Amino acid sequence: MSVQRVAAVAGFACAGLLVVNAARRGGLLPETAFTHAIAPFAALTGLLAITGIYLLIRARAGALGLVGYVLNSAGLAGAFAVEYTLHFVFPYLGGGTVSGLLAGGTGRAFLVTSAVLLVGVVTFSVAAVRSGVMPVVGVVLYAVGMVPGSLRNVVPEPVYLGGLVMAAVGVAWMVTRLWNAEEEPMVALGSRGASPAG
């Protein structure tokens, strides 16, 4: 299996995990040890998917694509660390300890992670649309959904959860394009003039 198809599989897993996370937080799925254990892996599989997408568009995404990829990847890696902490560390600490951490350096680190992810998503999405390789609607859904997805502590819960579902649809749409791309078309995409992909 090619790298791009491995990344596509990771993207489909990311989309599924985002929906499961939204359903769990929205009360549609039970809060169990399993649903908590898999929650952080939405960000990790998303990182793999974004890497595959970047490899597909990089010939036409230019410097903006590289900057967007680096920031988006860093944000997703940070989000994985945040989710891991929320699900596997904070539950075993006292409420006062958690509050103290969030009021100090840990809280600032969480905020920086959110900012990096937000800027990275927007920058990468602009580059992906400009490349003409990714489906525009899928990219827009990813970008619009990840704005509240990056701001979980700022936006209302329904907006955050709706953003996760929207981002999931966008990711699935983009990695469907990634799955269908073959090695020869990837090379050709780098040499042809830009044209929107469906």
Side-chain angles (χ1 to χ4, degrees):
M1 183 179 291
S2 66
V3 172
Q4 68 194 40
R5 289 202 165 180
V6 170
V9 170
F12 289 125
C14 171
L17 288 168
L18 287 173
V19 172
V20 168
N21 288 347
R24 175 182 55 79
R25 290 177 64 100
L28 300 178
L29 287 178
E31 298 270 358
T32 67
F34 176 73
T35 55
H36 277 282
I38 64 174
F41 291 95
L44 187 60
T45 52
L47 173 56
L48 296 174
I50 289 297
T51 298
I53 292 169
Y54 174 68
L55 292 175
L56 182 65
I57 71 172
R58 66 178 174 176
R60 291 165 63 181
L64 184 68
L66 177 59
V67 171
Y69 168 68
V70 170
L71 291 175
N72 199 349
S73 297
L76 288 170
F80 174 71
V82 169
E83 290 292 327
Y84 189 92
T85 301
L86 293 176
H87 289 274
F88 295 111
V89 178
F90 280 5
Y92 303 100
L93 302 176
T97 302
V98 171
S99 297
L101 289 171
L102 292 177
T106 300
R108 288 191 294 274
F110 284 7
L111 181 61
V112 169
T113 296
S114 295
V116 171
L117 179 58
L118 179 59
V119 174
V121 165
V122 173
T123 306
F124 184 77
S125 297
V126 170
V129 169
R130 289 180 59 186
S131 75
V133 178
M134 284 287 113
V136 174
V137 176
V139 177
V140 171
L141 287 172
Y142 171 68
V144 173
M146 285 300 294
V147 170
S150 303
L151 303 172
R152 61 185 297 166
N153 294 323
V154 178
V155 299
E157 183 82 351
V159 176
Y160 169 68
L161 298 182
L164 292 185
V165 174
M166 187 178 295
V169 175
V171 169
W173 201 326
M174 290 191 293
V175 297
T176 297
R177 172 71 182 88
L178 183 61
W179 176 269
N180 292 328
E182 297 296 337
E183 294 300 326
E184 288 76 16
M186 284 176 66
V187 174
L189 284 170
S191 59
R192 288 204 306 262
S195 61

